[in-house]
């Protein structure tokens, strides 16, 4: 007899969780905040800001 191939649930749960968290971050404007901080750090590194 052949065994049924079992589908693991944990990868689907984790992907769903991460997508949910990503949507929350985007809706709160986190990408803009990260880019602003990166901009200021880069300017500080080269001695302009």
């Amino acid at each position: 007899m052949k065994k049924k191939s079992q589908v693991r649930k944990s990868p689907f749960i984790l992907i769903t969780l991460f997508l949910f968290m990503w949507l929350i971050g985007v809706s709160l404007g986190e990408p803009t905040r990260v880019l602003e901080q990166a901009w200021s750090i880069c300017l500080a590194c080269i001695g302009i800001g």
Side-chain angles (χ1 to χ4, degrees), residues 26-43:
V26 169
S27 68
L28 292 175
E30 288 296 319
T32 305
R33 182 171 176 246
V34 169
L35 288 175
E36 287 172 354
Q37 289 178 348
W39 178 264
S40 66
I41 290 172
C42 287
L43 289 178

Side-chain angles (χ1 to χ4, degrees), residues 9-42:
K9 294 179 183 177
S10 59
F12 296 110
I13 293 170
L14 285 175
I15 290 172
T16 304
L17 177 67
F18 291 136
L19 285 174
F20 182 68
M21 291 172 67
W22 178 76
L23 285 173
I24 290 172
V26 169
S27 68
L28 292 175
E30 288 296 319
T32 305
R33 182 171 176 246
V34 169
L35 288 175
E36 287 172 354
Q37 289 178 348
W39 178 264
S40 66
I41 290 172
C42 287

